[in-house]
């Protein structure tokens, strides 16, 4: 039986493969055609009965799982609803990639930031700056910036003298073998040949493999000696390309002894007259007759110049190291981090003495908390100290196509949201609030440069008595209602107990259906906070995860049996995002203006002058008036 007849016998027919007529009247015949049916899902399609399985792969009314089923979404729906479901799919998670720059505090603004650090209020710009500062301090590793100030790692405990270690025995025997080999008399050539022909040698089975390696190296040496790289280049390329090769690979050729240093500086030698020499190969180069060498740093492989590392410091001042002032960890680390990572201003510049030697000036630092641990970050170093603000409260938004400025740190939002929540987050947080904190959404006192920390929030959501606050627990902006909560009965607080429902608070006594209905009006940030109140509220919020939450995969690195490692899905995590209710319009809040604050601002000091003061240009005006009168 042929292959085509085998396929038709399974379910395909010769006529049905090419028939697309809805009103086909071909009679039913075995292996030729079959009857025409309509879709069982009522999608309106008609087809031959043998094509029913193929139609199930395309039917818009067929019930299929979500496209993100492997990512955690367990919903099933009709195929024509997949595209619309992706907008609200809990597994369709979007990461916010908004970036901004933040500068460290300069020395001219120390008064204002000192006052802000002493009085940490709930200001939006201060809260966001502290959040970015904490992320920055956790990312800066002290070992990358100050490797010389690291603490010595603890040494391994010494092995007991009664216990012998195989590795120690091997090293000891190897050392003794080297010592005895140096003391023994050198063998003659005949003795070496006899030893090589002898079969009583340890590891003789590996002789063939070692012989292949040495033979390859020997052939390579012969090839390089007979037809070296420079000789081949001299024949294959022109003079310009050959000289360019010498420029880029001169140091390597000098180290291997194939090229001598022939480009000294003017102060190291004297030329009586210049003699043009065309350098094709190393053999054609001749030293000019007018050259008189005076170099002391000549790079000669056969002659190694003694090098001494000499440090120039403040030892000549006659002051001990303990009496010298210590560096401040935060400001010094930020300065060095900007210099090393973002190419800011250089503390010490490199100076080249000749073509091969470079003098590098290194500035050392002394910190009171040194030495540091190997894995210590800047946040670990300053842990336990009073919290201060060392980053500017103002930000500059940038894009990926914008060249980032020097002496600034870049941040990325990096928060995850459902696809239908990302639009509200980006518009309200980044466009409306964060981009307008410098004087529009929130206004600071004009005398902030003198140290005044007064702020004025000018906007609020239209139609709601609420305000934008910064929540330290979730490190995010929140929409907090301004309505005062009613006091508890008799001023008592309710605390849940284990012995019954009578000790529960009034909200927890409500039926489960009513609690679910109330929780449906909350935003994602409020749901995430409500789920941490009690076990009951956690169960209530869990019923809204499919509708309001999002799911992500947690990956873990596991070692395989063959020694390799691979990332595997450990579990799927459900949670609520940190987005608050969408605000479509903003309104001006009823708050006192900034002029009312200036009347009582302690930094606003008026200087009244009662004595008349002559203007600088008053004498010139009088002289011109006299000249005009004379002219008339």
């Amino acid at each position: 039986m042929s292959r085509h007849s085998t396929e038709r016998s399974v379910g395909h027919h010769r006529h049905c493969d090419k028939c697309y007529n809805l009103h086909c009247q071909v009679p039913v015949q075995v292996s030729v055609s079959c009857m025409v049916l309509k879709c069982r899902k009522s999608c309106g399609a008609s087809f031959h009965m043998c094509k029913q399985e193929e139609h199930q792969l395309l039917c818009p009314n067929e019930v299929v799982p979500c496209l993100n089923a492997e990512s955690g979404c367990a919903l099933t729906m009709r195929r024509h609803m997949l595209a619309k479901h992706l907008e609200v799919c809990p597994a369709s998670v979007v990461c916010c990639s908004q970036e901004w720059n933040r500068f460290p505090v300069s020395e001219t603004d120390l008064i204002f930031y000192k006052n802000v650090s002493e009085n940490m209020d709930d200001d939006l710009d201060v809260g966001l700056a502290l959040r970015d500062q904490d992320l920055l301090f956790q990312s800066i590793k002290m070992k990358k910036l100050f490797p010389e100030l690291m603490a010595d790692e603890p040494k391994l405990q010494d092995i007991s003298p009664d216990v012998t270690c195989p590795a120690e025995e091997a090293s000891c025997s190897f050392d003794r073998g080297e010592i005895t080999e140096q003391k023994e008399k050198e063998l003659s050539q005949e003795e070496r040949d006899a030893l090589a022909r002898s079969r009583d040698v340890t590891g003789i089975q590996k002789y063939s493999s070692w012989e292949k390696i040495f033979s390859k190296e020997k052939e390579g040496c012969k090839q390089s000696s007979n037809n070296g790289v420079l000789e081949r280049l001299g024949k294959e390329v022109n003079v310009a390309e050959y000289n360019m090769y010498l420029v880029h690979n001169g140091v390597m050729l000098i180290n291997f002894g194939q090229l001598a240093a022939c480009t000294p500086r003017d102060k190291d030698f004297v030329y009586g007259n210049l003699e043009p020499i065309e350098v094709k190969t190393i053999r054609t180069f001749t030293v000019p007759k007018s050259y008189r060498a005076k170099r002391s740093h000549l790079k000669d492989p056969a002659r190694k110049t003694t090098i001494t590392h000499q440090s120039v410091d403040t030892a000549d001042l006659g002051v001990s190291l303990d009496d010298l002032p210590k560096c401040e960890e935060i400001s010094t680390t930020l300065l060095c981090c900007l210099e090393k990572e973002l190419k800011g201003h250089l503390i010490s510049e490199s100076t080249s003495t000749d073509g091969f030697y470079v003098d590098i000036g290194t500035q050392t630092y002394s910190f009171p908390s040194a030495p540091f641990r190997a894995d210590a970050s800047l946040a670990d170093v300053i842990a336990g100290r009073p919290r201060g603000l060392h980053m500017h409260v103002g930000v500059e938004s940038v894009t990926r196509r914008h060249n980032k400025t020097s002496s600034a740190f870049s941040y990325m939002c990096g928060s995850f949201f459902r696809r239908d929540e990302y639009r509200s987050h980006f518009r309200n947080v980044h466009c409306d609030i964060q981009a307008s904190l410098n004087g529009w959404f929130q206004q600071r006192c004009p005398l902030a440069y003198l140290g005044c920390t007064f702020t004025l929030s000018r906007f609020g959501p239209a139609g709601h008595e609420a305000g934008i606050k910064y929540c330290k627990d979730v490190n995010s902006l929140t929409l907090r209602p301004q309505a005062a909560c009613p006091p508890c009965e008799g001023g008592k607080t309710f605390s849940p107990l284990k012995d019954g429902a009578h000790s529960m608070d009034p909200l927890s006594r409500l039926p489960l259906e009513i609690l679910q209905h109330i929780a449906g009006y909350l935003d994602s940030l409020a749901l995430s906070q409500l789920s941490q109140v009690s076990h009951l509220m956690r169960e209530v919020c869990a019923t809204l995860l499919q509708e309001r939450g999002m799911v992500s995969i947690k990956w873990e690195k596991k070692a395989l049996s063959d020694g390799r490692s691979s990332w595997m899905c450990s579990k799927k995590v459900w949670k609520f995002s940190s987005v608050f209710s969408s605000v479509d319009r903003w309104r001006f809040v009823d708050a006192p203006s900034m002029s009312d604050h200036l009347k009582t601002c302690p930094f606003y000091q008026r200087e009244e002058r009662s004595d008349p003061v002559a203007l600088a240009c008053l004498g010139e005006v009088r002289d011109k008036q006299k000249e005009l009168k004379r002219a008339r």
Side-chain angles (χ1 to χ4, degrees):
M1 184 180 294
S2 63
R3 181 174 61 86
H4 298 282
S5 61
T6 304
E7 292 179 356
R8 293 193 189 99
S9 62
V10 175
H12 295 273
H13 303 94
R14 180 175 56 189
H15 169 74
C16 299
D17 290 343
K18 300 180 181 179
C19 180
Y20 302 99
N21 189 4
L22 297 178
H23 308 284
C24 181
Q25 302 295 332
V26 176
V28 178
Q29 298 180 8
V30 180
S31 71
V32 177
S33 63
C34 60
M35 61 183 302
V36 178
L37 300 177
K38 289 187 177 181
C39 177
R40 297 179 180 179
K41 303 293 184 180
S42 303
C43 70
S46 299
F47 46 85
H48 285 276
M49 185 174 61
C50 61
K51 297 181 179 179
Q52 186 174 0
E53 295 182 0
E54 296 181 359
H55 175 72
Q56 292 179 356
L57 302 177
L58 302 175
C59 181
N61 292 337
E62 186 71 24
V63 178
V64 294
C66 176
L67 296 176
N68 295 323
E70 296 182 357
S71 300
C73 183
L75 297 180
T76 57
M77 66 209 72
R78 295 185 178 183
R79 182 174 281 111
H80 68 88
M81 301 176 61
L82 287 177
K84 191 175 182 180
H85 166 70
L86 287 179
E87 299 178 0
V88 295
C89 179
S92 183
V93 182
V94 181
C95 179
C96 181
S97 59
Q98 175 66 14
E99 293 184 356
W100 59 88
N101 286 339
R102 197 179 291 275
F103 291 84
V105 175
S106 59
E107 297 180 355
T108 57
D109 300 333
L110 292 179
I111 300 177
F112 168 73
Y113 287 94
K114 182 180 179 181
N115 296 341
V116 170
S117 301
E118 294 177 354
N119 302 320
M120 291 290 184
D121 299 328
D122 295 336
D123 299 334
L124 299 180
D125 52 358
V126 175
L128 295 176
L130 289 174
R131 180 195 63 180
D132 295 344
Q133 176 179 290
D134 295 340
L135 294 176
L136 176 64
F137 288 178
Q138 294 174 5
S139 63
I140 296 178
K141 300 298 181 181
M142 306 300 291
K143 187 175 182 180
K144 295 182 179 180
L145 299 177
F146 311 105
E148 70 279 358
L149 298 179
M150 293 295 106
D152 297 336
E153 297 182 358
K155 298 181 180 180
L156 298 177
Q157 297 180 359
D158 298 336
I159 303 177
S160 177
D162 298 335
V163 181
T164 58
C165 177
E168 184 178 359
E169 291 181 357
S171 61
C172 292
S173 61
F174 181 76
D175 295 338
R176 296 191 189 98
E178 283 187 346
I179 294 174
T180 54
E181 185 179 354
Q182 293 178 359
K183 293 181 180 180
E184 290 180 357
K185 183 179 180 181
E186 295 184 359
L187 301 177
S188 60
Q189 185 64 29
E190 293 79 4
E191 295 175 347
R192 292 177 181 176
D193 297 340
L195 183 60
R197 291 190 297 269
S198 176
R199 286 292 185 183
D200 300 334
V201 181
T202 305
I204 193 64
Q205 63 275 7
K206 300 181 181 179
Y207 174 77
S208 58
S209 60
W210 286 106
E211 185 66 21
K212 292 180 181 179
I213 296 175
F214 292 141
S215 60
K216 291 180 180 180
E217 293 184 356
K218 187 175 181 181
E219 292 297 330
C221 295
K222 291 181 179 179
Q223 181 71 17
S224 61
S225 60
N226 296 334
N227 191 8
V229 178
L230 297 179
E231 295 181 0
R232 292 199 304 270
L233 288 176
K235 296 177 181 179
E236 297 175 1
V237 300
N238 53 22
V239 178
E241 295 177 354
Y242 179 82
N243 292 337
M244 185 60 65
Y245 176 80
L246 293 181
V247 170
H248 290 286
N249 302 277
V251 177
M252 180 187 68
L253 297 174
I254 291 175
N255 291 332
F256 285 96
Q258 297 187 12
L259 185 67
C262 56
T263 56
R265 296 182 61 180
D266 298 338
K267 64 181 182 180
D268 296 328
F269 63 91
V270 176
Y271 270 122
N273 52 358
L274 296 179
E275 303 171 7
I277 300 176
E278 184 180 10
V279 180
K280 291 185 177 180
T281 63
I282 188 63
R283 304 297 180 185
T284 59
F285 175 76
T286 57
V287 180
K289 298 179 180 179
S290 60
Y291 171 73
R292 183 171 73 252
K294 292 184 179 180
R295 298 189 61 183
S296 59
H297 302 292
L298 188 61
K299 188 72 174 182
D300 188 1
R303 178 184 176 185
K304 185 176 181 180
T305 307
T306 304
I307 301 176
T308 304
H309 294 277
Q310 184 67 32
S311 300
V312 180
D313 53 13
T314 57
D316 54 345
L317 298 178
V319 182
S320 61
L321 296 178
D322 298 336
D323 297 337
L324 293 176
K326 301 291 183 180
C327 299
E328 204 271 330
E329 287 88 349
I330 298 178
S331 59
T332 305
T333 303
L334 293 179
L335 179 62
C336 295
C337 185
L338 288 173
E339 176 195 7
K340 198 167 187 178
E341 300 294 338
L342 301 178
K343 299 179 181 179
H345 60 280
L346 297 177
I347 297 178
S348 57
E349 298 182 358
S350 304
T351 304
S352 58
T353 56
D354 52 23
F356 308 104
Y357 291 91
V358 177
D359 293 338
I360 301 177
T362 305
Q363 182 174 353
T364 57
Y365 300 93
S366 178
F367 299 106
S369 57
F372 309 116
R373 299 196 317 267
D375 58 343
S377 62
L378 182 57
D380 300 333
V381 174
I382 63 174
R385 302 182 185 179
R387 193 178 187 184
L389 183 59
H390 303 275
M391 305 301 296
H392 267 280
V393 294
V395 298
E396 294 184 0
S397 300
V398 296
T399 61
R400 294 186 180 275
R401 298 184 179 181
H402 182 268
N403 294 329
K404 298 179 181 179
T405 58
S406 301
S407 301
F409 295 97
S410 297
Y411 300 88
M412 188 177 71
C413 179
S415 302
F416 292 92
F417 305 94
R418 290 164 53 107
R419 189 171 296 273
D420 56 340
E421 297 175 344
Y422 176 71
R423 174 178 174 270
S424 174
H425 161 77
F426 190 86
R427 183 185 62 179
N428 292 145
V429 175
H430 296 302
C431 297
D432 296 342
I433 300 177
Q434 188 176 9
S436 305
L437 282 180
N438 300 336
W440 180 243
F441 195 91
Q442 177 182 273
Q443 185 179 7
R444 285 198 170 273
C445 177
L447 303 178
Y449 69 96
L450 297 178
C452 183
T453 60
F454 177 79
T455 56
L456 178 64
S457 297
R458 306 179 61 196
F459 290 92
H464 301 280
E465 294 295 332
I468 300 297
K469 301 295 181 180
Y470 177 78
C471 183
K472 300 179 182 179
D473 299 332
V474 295
N475 292 328
S476 178
L477 298 178
T478 61
L479 186 63
R480 186 177 302 175
Q482 296 179 358
C485 298
C488 300
E489 299 177 0
K492 299 180 180 179
T493 58
F494 297 92
S495 58
L497 301 176
K498 299 180 181 179
D499 53 354
H502 296 285
S503 60
M504 300 173 63
D505 57 277
L507 182 62
S508 301
R509 296 176 186 176
L510 297 177
L512 182 61
E513 294 79 6
I514 298 180
L515 292 177
Q516 292 178 352
H517 183 73
I518 295 175
Y521 289 96
L522 301 179
D523 52 31
S524 298
L525 180 59
L527 287 174
S528 64
Q529 299 298 306
L530 181 63
S531 62
Q532 303 178 22
V533 173
S534 62
H535 293 284
L536 176 61
M537 295 303 172
R538 188 175 186 85
E539 295 176 359
V540 172
C541 296
T543 59
L544 300 174
L545 280 175
Q546 291 285 350
E547 180 183 356
R548 306 286 299 278
M550 59 182 182
V551 59
S552 58
I553 299 177
K554 184 178 181 181
W555 299 89
E556 288 185 359
K557 191 175 184 180
K558 296 183 179 180
L560 303 179
S561 58
D562 55 353
R564 298 179 301 171
S565 58
S566 176
W567 289 93
M568 297 183 180
C569 175
S570 61
K571 59 181 178 180
K572 297 174 182 178
V573 181
W574 286 86
K575 61 180 180 180
F576 295 99
S577 64
S578 60
V579 67
F580 53 84
S581 300
S582 178
V583 180
D584 299 329
R585 290 191 314 109
W586 300 90
R587 63 174 179 84
F588 285 98
V589 297
D590 297 334
S593 62
M594 187 59 67
S595 59
D596 297 336
H597 161 71
L598 290 176
K599 296 178 181 179
T600 58
C601 180
F603 295 90
Y604 183 53
Q605 299 178 0
R606 301 175 57 183
E607 186 176 357
E608 298 180 358
R609 295 282 185 176
S610 57
D611 299 335
V613 179
L615 299 178
C617 60
L618 186 60
E620 298 179 359
V621 174
R622 292 176 179 176
D623 295 341
K624 290 182 179 180
Q625 290 178 354
K626 292 180 180 180
E627 292 178 359
L628 291 175
K629 291 180 180 180
R630 293 175 182 176
R632 291 176 183 175

